[in-house]
């Protein structure tokens, strides 16, 4: 692809060259991210991006911070007021008292918290257990650190943790296990029994837990339980969360990691060399967000439960076999009644013929894409009207 | 390891006391740190309604790739500044705000609802603005969709470039002194680092030494121009020389050009604009320094598609996407008229003059700085042992913060005579700092 320039430009002979990428990332999927900017009238229930805005009071707090001149480097570990607000919220949610300066680290989104945790605490070859299906970013986060991923499949319809399999997999060679609860993509919430079993194995084998809890405020059918709050577990757990899902501000990228000092050290060091610090004015606003009154959370939960109802009932009416989520804003549905070959071909059909976007569940499978082929993922972080419209369109699906 | 254990809790006088051996830790497995903890981190017993967590003393854990690094010097020095009420000419952040029009663009973006996930490699209008600006600056035409990637600050661009394009064992050449994240991210990538020291007074590239260091085994060379901390700007001759070696040996260039708009004594030259170089160069920059908004963390990497690929792959697993409203504002910023840049340069040159004249009058040996908002000086006239000792003295006894440069070298000994001051402060602050030094610094 050569470019011939005008008088004032330099001629660059840009020739085709093979793509270069470091070995650690070679094996990863070529194209993540799905279509997010469709202008063709398609209803996007694919990626988890709300089509409504975050609350005014938080937006105004950010605007105030910008206008007040809070625009220079924040301390690497976070703006003090935010560290304090995170600690306060965590205490309210779990009962745990943590030191805001020694045990809370602000990151550029929860993804960066995971990357910093991986690069800061995982050595090449360390065994890390992931549950499958899982958020499709984890494998990449841990690939950066050269971890050896061992996956344990959660099977439909209830995605119960297979304790016996876990027992035979966890050993003294296991460095860490990642728990995402409420869980993306299944909507599962880890029960107290499951967490207790996992905790016992971790304590026995000296295993760390990396807990991704970004959907903790979207808990419908049961209370969210933080692994860190179980006896003996705080000292070996990194608990991660973010502003995004709770406050419908997925584009601000403010997250955090809470961990005892001896684990905070590694992740904070990595963080300081990956991004150094996170956007200052948005941190100021996040502190305000986290001090939202209980009514905010109650109302949000109520709103999301209504959306869940619209989508779940709508999918059932259309003919899907639906696996209702306990938490989060995703729902898995079995598409096989419609007679398409697999999840990918179903999603193509759904997009082209019906005008709705979903994500094939095989994208989230760590072991074997076959595992996800009967399932597709819809999100319901959209306004009610959009969800109703999507449901209406899906009535056209033929069994 | 005393350095690391003192990083938390105890204020880091020990932490900063570098000896040349302290940087070279033998390989240790995870749990080998038998550090003694200050009691402030010890068991935290809670009240009746809280969970009792029994936080016991535990050795600090860190992956091997980061073992040798300490809390960044910037964090340490800024905290010291606050503790002693010192004037902070250390960490490079302005004590004045960014331009109104850029701030208001961010406000508008937030109000307009630009608050959800941005496209991973950047919002279209920012990628386009970056490409347009790059063409204006260098004459090079790049495809905004295929050759521009937006990151969370230039720091993340560096990390994504290292993790995305460098394999363990790859040889990378680094000019010392260097910004501290280079060494740390190279270590994360498992690179084998070869250092080439730039020496006072003019920090010129030692061409023969470089020639013998580069070979077909070299994967990449990192160039920061204008250069932090020295203020050196790579000349056309130096860049030509480096370019020919890179072409001959198939070496990539990672170019950190965040200070390109603070080029005072000569024109900034981008390596990517030299013949044969665009195809092997990753050019990195950011919003922060040019627009006095260091806390917004909007950066970018410009590279041909075959290199952009690796950068984007790593970026996807580091942060995936960058703050949306600030990207919108950055697009507005990059369309600033020429007058903005002319005024920026003029203001900074005035500040530089105040600081440089002041430091000379105080008694430092000042090395000429052609670009950036930093100047490096020799502190030895004041009779302190090394740069760390001098900076400690300067904070505690004089009330001014500078950065000890030894942390920017592979061999800290090489920096022991030099400290770095910044002039990205309002003129009164710079004058006050100079006054304090005139009063209290004695040879």
């Amino acid at each position: 692809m050569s470019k011939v320039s005008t008088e004032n430009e330099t001629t660059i002979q840009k020739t085709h060259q093979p793509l270069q990428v470091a070995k650690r990332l070679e094996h990863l999927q070529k194209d993540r991210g799905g279509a997010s900017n469709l202008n063709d009238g398609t209803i996007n229930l694919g990626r988890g991006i709300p089509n409504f805005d975050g609350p005014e009071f938080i937006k105004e707090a950010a605007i105030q911070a910008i206008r007040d001149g809070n625009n220079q480097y924040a301390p690497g570990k976070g703006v003090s007021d935010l560290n304090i607000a995170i600690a306060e919220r965590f205490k309210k949610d779990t009962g745990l008292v943590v030191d805001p300066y020694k045990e809370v680290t602000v990151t550029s989104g929860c993804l960066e918290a995971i990357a910093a945790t991986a690069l800061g605490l995982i050595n090449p070859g360390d065994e890390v257990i992931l549950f499958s299906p899982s958020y499709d970013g984890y494998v990449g986060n841990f690939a950066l650190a050269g971890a050896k991923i061992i996956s344990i499949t959660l099977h439909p319809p209830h995605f119960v943790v297979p304790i016996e399999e876990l027992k035979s997999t966890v050993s003294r060679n296991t460095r860490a296990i990642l728990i995402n609860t409420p869980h993306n993509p299944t909507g599962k919430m880890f029960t107290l029994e499951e967490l207790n079993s996992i905790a016992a194995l971790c304590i026995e084998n000296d295993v760390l837990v990396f807990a991704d809890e970004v959907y903790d405020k979207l808990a419908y059918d049961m209370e969210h339980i933080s692994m860190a709050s179980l006896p003996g577990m705080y000292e070996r757990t990194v608990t991660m969360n973010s502003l995004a899902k709770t406050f419908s501000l997925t584009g601000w990228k403010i997250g955090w990691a809470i961990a005892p000092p001896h684990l905070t050290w590694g992740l904070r060091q990595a963080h300081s060399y990956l991004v150094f610090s996170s956007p200052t004015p948005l941190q100021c606003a996040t502190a305000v967000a986290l001090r939202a009154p209980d009514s905010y959370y109650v109302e949000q939960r109520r709103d999301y439960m209504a959306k869940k109802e619209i989508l779940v009932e709508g999918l059932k009416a259309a003919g899907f076999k639906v696996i209702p989520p306990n938490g989060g804003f995703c729902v898995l549905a079995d598409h096989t009644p419609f007679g398409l070959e697999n999840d990918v071909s179903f999603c193509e059909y759904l997009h082209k013929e019906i005008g709705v976007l979903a994500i094939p569940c095989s994208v989230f499978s760590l072991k074997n894409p076959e595992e996800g082929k009967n399932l597709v993922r819809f999100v319901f972080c959209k306004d009610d009207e959009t969800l109703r419209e999507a449901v209406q369109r899906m009535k056209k699906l033929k069994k | 390891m005393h350095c690391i254990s003192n990083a938390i809790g105890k204020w880091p006088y020990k932490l900063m006391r570098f000896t040349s051996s302290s940087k070279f830790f033998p390989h240790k497995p995870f749990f080998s740190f038998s550090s003694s903890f200050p009691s402030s981190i010890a068991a935290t017993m809670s009240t009746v309604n809280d969970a009792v967590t029994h936080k016991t003393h535990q050795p600090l854990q860190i992956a091997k790739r980061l073992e040798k690094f300490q809390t960044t010097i910037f964090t340490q020095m800024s905290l010291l500044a606050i503790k002693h009420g010192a004037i902070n000419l250390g960490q490079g952040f302005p004590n004045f705000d960014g331009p109104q029009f850029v701030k208001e663009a961010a406000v508008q973006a937030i109000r307009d609802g630009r608050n959800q996930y941005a496209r991973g490699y950047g919002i279209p209008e920012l990628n386009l603005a970056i490409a347009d600006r790059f063409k204006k600056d260098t004459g090079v035409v790049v495809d905004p969709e295929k050759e521009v990637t937006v990151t969370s600050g230039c720091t993340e661009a560096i990390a994504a470039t290292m993790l995305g394009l460098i394999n363990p064992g790859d040889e990378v050449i680094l000019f010392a002194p260097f910004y501290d994240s280079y060494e740390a991210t190279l270590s994360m990538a498992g690179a084998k680092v070869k250092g080439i020291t730039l020496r006072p007074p003019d920090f010129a590239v030692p061409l023969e030494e470089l020639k013998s260091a580069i070979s077909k085994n070299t994967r990449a060379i990192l160039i920061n121009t204008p250069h932090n901390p020295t203020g050196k700007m790579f000349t056309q001759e130096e860049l030509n020389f480096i370019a020919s070696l890179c072409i001959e040996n198939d070496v990539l260039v990672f170019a950190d050009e965040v200070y390109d708009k603070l080029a005072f004594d000569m024109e900034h030259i981008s390596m990517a604009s030299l013949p044969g170089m665009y195809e092997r160069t990753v050019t990195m920059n950011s919003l922060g320094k040019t627009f006095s908004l260091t806390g917004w963390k909007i950066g970018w990497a410009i590279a041909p598609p075959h290199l952009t690929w690796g950068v984007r792959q790593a970026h996807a697993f580091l942060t995936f996407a960058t703050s949306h409203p600030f990207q919108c504002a950055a697009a507005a910023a990059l369309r600033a008229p020429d007058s903005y840049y002319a005024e920026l340069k003029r203001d900074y040159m005035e500040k530089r003059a105040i600081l440089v004249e002041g430091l000379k009058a105080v008694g430092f040996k000042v090395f000429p700085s052609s670009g950036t908002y930093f100047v490096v000086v020799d502190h030895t006239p004041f009779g302190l042992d090394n740069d760390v000792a001098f900076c400690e003295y300067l904070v505690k006894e004089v009330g001014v913060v500078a950065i000890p440069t030894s942390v920017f070298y592979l061999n800290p000994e090489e920096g022991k005579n030099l400290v770095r001051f910044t002039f990205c402060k309002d003129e009164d602050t710079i004058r006050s700092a100079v006054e304090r030094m005139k009063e209290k610094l004695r040879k």
Side-chain angles (χ1 to χ4, degrees):
Chain A
M1 154 183 79
S2 58
K3 274 199 151 99
V4 180
S5 56
T6 68
E7 257 172 23
N8 291 333
E9 296 165 5
T10 313
T11 306
I12 303 280
Q13 296 295 118
K14 292 185 200 172
T15 53
H16 287 283
Q17 293 215 31
L19 301 178
Q20 297 192 23
V21 67
K23 293 194 185 89
R24 64 182 64 82
L25 296 172
E26 247 171 3
H27 63 289
L28 294 165
Q29 273 183 335
K30 294 208 177 266
D31 200 356
R32 284 180 70 224
S36 54
N37 292 318
L38 303 157
N39 290 324
D40 56 358
T42 305
I43 296 180
N44 191 346
L45 302 188
R47 282 288 159 192
I49 304 176
N51 69 345
F52 45 85
D53 208 352
E56 282 307 304
F57 78 98
I58 303 174
K59 290 166 59 177
E60 287 304 314
I63 288 168
Q64 195 56 52
I66 292 167
R67 290 194 169 142
D68 286 349
N70 287 326
N71 299 308
Q72 306 310 324
Y73 286 125
K77 64 184 186 304
V79 165
S80 294
D81 194 37
L82 177 54
N83 289 55
I84 292 170
I86 292 167
E88 284 171 359
R89 189 69 234 175
F90 194 61
K91 177 174 162 193
K92 213 172 171 196
D93 292 338
T94 66
L96 291 170
V97 174
V98 302
D99 183 315
Y101 306 117
K102 296 179 180 134
E103 298 178 289
V104 177
T105 304
V106 176
T107 58
S108 296
C110 185
L111 192 101
E112 199 243 313
I114 301 167
T117 297
L119 284 163
L121 292 172
I122 300 292
N123 280 322
D126 279 355
E127 273 181 26
V128 175
I129 294 177
L130 295 181
F131 291 104
S132 175
S134 83
Y135 169 64
D136 53 333
Y138 298 148
V139 279
N141 300 141
F142 291 104
L144 291 172
K148 183 172 155 206
I149 302 286
I150 298 182
S151 66
I152 300 225
T153 304
L154 303 175
H155 295 282
H158 301 300
F159 303 105
V160 174
V161 175
I163 284 297
E164 287 314 308
E165 189 188 337
L166 190 61
K167 266 186 189 161
S168 59
T169 309
V170 176
S171 73
R172 291 209 150 269
N173 287 331
T174 312
R175 172 56 172 160
I177 178 167
L178 193 145
I179 293 175
N180 171 217
T181 179
H183 185 254
N184 172 17
T186 66
K188 165 199 177 51
M189 288 180 68
F190 283 63
T191 64
L192 188 59
E193 293 68 43
E194 288 172 323
L195 292 173
N196 279 332
S197 301
I198 298 170
L201 287 170
C202 289
I203 292 168
E204 192 185 318
N205 293 280
D206 194 18
V207 177
L208 300 183
V209 170
F210 301 153
D212 174 354
E213 305 188 355
V214 288
Y215 298 101
D216 68 337
K217 297 297 177 292
L218 305 183
Y220 313 125
D221 302 333
M222 49 184 276
E223 290 283 302
H224 168 76
I225 305 165
S226 283
M227 183 59 114
S229 65
L230 269 57
M233 289 310 292
Y234 180 76
E235 64 194 71
R236 57 182 64 259
T237 303
V238 179
T239 307
M240 295 170 283
N241 211 325
S242 83
L243 175 76
K245 319 297 198 254
T246 307
F247 295 98
S248 310
L249 293 164
T250 58
W252 281 23
K253 308 291 282 153
I254 300 292
W256 54 89
I258 303 172
H262 64 279
L263 298 182
T264 289
W265 171 245
L267 76 92
R268 215 178 249 190
Q269 280 295 84
H271 163 70
S272 68
Y273 295 116
L274 290 178
V275 300
F276 181 71
S277 62
S278 303
T280 313
L282 302 182
Q283 289 195 49
C284 300
T286 304
V288 171
L290 287 175
R291 296 192 168 107
D294 287 346
S295 57
Y296 173 83
Y297 296 102
V298 166
E299 199 177 304
Q300 186 197 47
R301 191 170 160 270
R302 197 191 61 210
D303 288 348
Y304 266 109
M305 284 180 81
K307 294 175 194 301
K308 175 174 72 116
E309 184 77 5
I310 295 170
L311 185 61
V312 167
E313 292 313 305
L315 290 171
K316 282 181 185 166
F320 289 91
K321 283 187 274 178
V322 182
I323 305 174
N326 299 131
F329 52 47
C330 307
V331 52
L332 288 182
D334 185 324
H335 64 82
T336 51
F338 305 105
L340 266 65
E341 203 189 315
N342 58 38
D343 55 334
V344 174
S345 51
F346 179 78
C347 284
E348 278 172 16
Y349 174 79
L350 191 69
H351 182 190
K352 289 203 186 91
E353 303 302 323
I354 307 292
V356 174
L357 208 64
I359 296 203
C361 197
S362 50
V363 159
F364 305 108
S365 294
L366 297 181
K367 254 188 182 140
N368 177 3
E370 285 286 301
E371 277 173 358
K373 71 175 190 168
N374 292 348
L375 301 172
V376 296
R377 189 194 81 169
F378 293 91
V379 300
F380 50 92
C381 52
K382 307 289 175 181
D383 66 272
D384 293 7
E385 198 182 304
T386 299
L387 292 170
R388 286 199 181 93
E389 169 69 28
V391 157
Q392 192 61 28
R393 290 188 188 183
M394 286 192 279
K395 283 187 176 151
K396 295 200 209 106
L397 280 167
K398 291 189 177 57
K399 291 200 192 174
Chain B
M1 290 296 156
H2 62 274
C3 304
I4 291 176
S5 69
N6 282 327
I8 295 182
K10 258 190 219 152
W11 188 234
Y13 294 114
K14 279 203 182 158
L15 188 65
M16 296 200 299
R17 204 158 296 285
F18 260 110
T19 60
S20 51
S21 62
S22 68
K23 267 208 152 184
F24 301 96
F25 299 171
H27 262 319
K28 284 190 180 276
F30 264 103
F31 302 99
S32 65
F33 298 120
S34 53
S35 45
S36 59
F37 267 66
S39 55
S40 51
I41 317 182
T44 301
M45 299 302 288
S46 51
T47 67
V48 128
N49 289 332
D50 308 329
V52 170
T53 54
H54 291 290
K55 294 177 204 178
T56 52
H57 292 279
Q58 292 219 31
L60 298 180
Q61 296 192 22
I62 190 162
K64 295 193 184 89
R65 62 181 71 83
L66 289 171
E67 254 175 0
K68 65 184 279 203
F69 301 100
Q70 305 179 348
T71 311
T72 94
I73 191 69
F74 306 109
T75 298
Q76 295 173 45
M77 297 308 301
S78 287
L79 286 169
L80 256 191
I82 295 168
K83 184 174 173 178
H84 288 275
I87 296 176
N88 194 346
L89 300 190
Q91 187 174 5
F93 59 83
N95 67 347
F96 46 85
D97 207 354
Q100 207 50 24
F101 81 97
V102 181
K103 289 166 59 178
E104 285 306 311
V107 167
Q108 196 56 51
I110 291 170
R111 291 218 166 112
D112 287 348
R114 309 290 300 269
N115 300 307
Q116 304 310 325
Y117 281 124
R119 190 178 61 176
Y121 56 91
I123 62 173
E125 69 234 52
L126 178 54
N127 287 49
L128 185 62
I130 291 167
D132 285 348
R133 189 70 233 175
F134 194 61
K135 178 176 158 191
K136 210 169 172 196
D137 290 337
T138 65
V140 178
V141 174
V142 302
D143 182 326
E145 299 297 290
K146 298 188 180 119
E147 299 178 288
V148 176
T149 304
V150 176
T151 55
S152 295
C154 187
T155 297
E156 199 226 326
I158 294 163
T161 298
M162 305 296 198
L163 287 164
L165 292 173
I166 300 293
N167 281 320
D170 280 355
E171 253 182 46
V172 178
I173 292 179
L174 198 54
F175 291 105
F178 46 75
Y179 173 61
D180 67 349
S181 87
Y182 300 162
E183 199 194 349
T185 46
L186 281 167
S187 183
M188 287 192 213
K192 185 170 147 211
V193 179
K194 263 189 180 174
I196 303 241
T197 303
L198 305 176
R199 296 179 197 282
D202 54 4
F203 302 103
V205 175
L207 300 176
E208 286 316 302
E209 192 186 331
L210 181 62
K211 198 170 182 183
S212 55
I214 288 191
S215 73
K216 293 216 167 284
N217 288 333
T218 310
R219 170 60 170 160
I221 178 167
L222 212 149
I223 292 175
N224 173 216
T225 180
H227 184 251
N228 170 15
T230 65
K232 166 205 176 46
M233 289 179 67
F234 282 64
T235 64
Q236 184 75 65
E237 294 67 40
E238 288 172 328
L239 290 173
N240 283 339
F241 188 85
I242 297 169
S244 64
L245 287 170
C246 288
I247 291 168
E248 193 185 318
N249 293 281
D250 194 19
V251 178
L252 301 182
V253 171
F254 300 157
D256 174 355
E257 305 188 357
V258 287
Y259 298 102
D260 69 335
K261 299 296 177 293
L262 304 183
F264 309 128
D265 300 340
M266 52 182 272
E267 289 286 302
H268 167 76
I269 304 165
S270 285
M271 183 59 114
S273 66
L274 269 57
M277 289 309 293
Y278 179 77
E279 66 194 70
R280 57 181 64 259
T281 303
V282 180
T283 307
M284 296 169 284
N285 211 324
S286 81
L287 183 76
K289 318 304 197 242
T290 307
F291 293 95
S292 309
L293 294 162
T294 58
W296 284 19
K297 308 298 283 156
I298 300 291
W300 54 87
I302 301 171
H306 64 280
L307 298 181
T308 289
W309 175 251
V311 173
R312 278 188 190 176
Q313 286 290 84
H315 164 67
F317 300 113
L318 288 175
T319 58
F320 190 73
T322 308
S323 126
H324 198 156
F326 290 143
Q327 287 196 55
C328 302
L334 286 175
R335 298 193 187 285
D338 288 345
S339 57
Y340 172 80
Y341 296 101
E343 202 176 303
L344 181 79
K345 251 177 88 165
R346 202 191 57 217
D347 287 348
Y348 268 118
M349 285 177 83
E350 279 167 17
K351 295 174 196 300
R352 181 177 67 159
I354 297 169
L355 182 63
V356 166
E357 290 320 303
L359 292 172
K360 282 180 180 164
V362 168
F364 289 99
K365 182 163 178 213
V366 180
F367 300 109
S369 159
S370 310
T372 76
Y373 43 46
F374 300 116
V375 58
V376 161
V377 305
D378 185 322
H379 65 81
T380 53
F382 302 101
L384 264 55
D385 265 352
N386 58 41
D387 58 328
V388 175
F390 178 80
C391 285
E392 280 179 17
Y393 175 81
L394 195 68
V395 173
K396 281 159 40 183
E397 305 304 326
V398 181
V400 174
V401 184
I403 298 280
T405 64
S406 50
V407 71
F408 301 133
Y409 290 82
L410 291 170
N411 175 6
E413 282 290 299
E414 288 184 335
K416 70 177 191 170
N417 292 348
L418 305 174
V419 297
R420 183 194 83 174
F421 288 93
T422 182
F423 49 91
C424 59
K425 307 290 173 183
D426 67 272
E427 295 184 8
D428 284 344
T429 299
I430 301 173
R431 285 198 183 93
S432 301
V434 166
E435 283 316 302
R436 283 192 188 184
M437 287 189 278
K438 277 182 177 161
E439 234 181 86
K440 298 188 182 162
L441 255 186
R442 294 273 170 259
K443 290 195 189 180

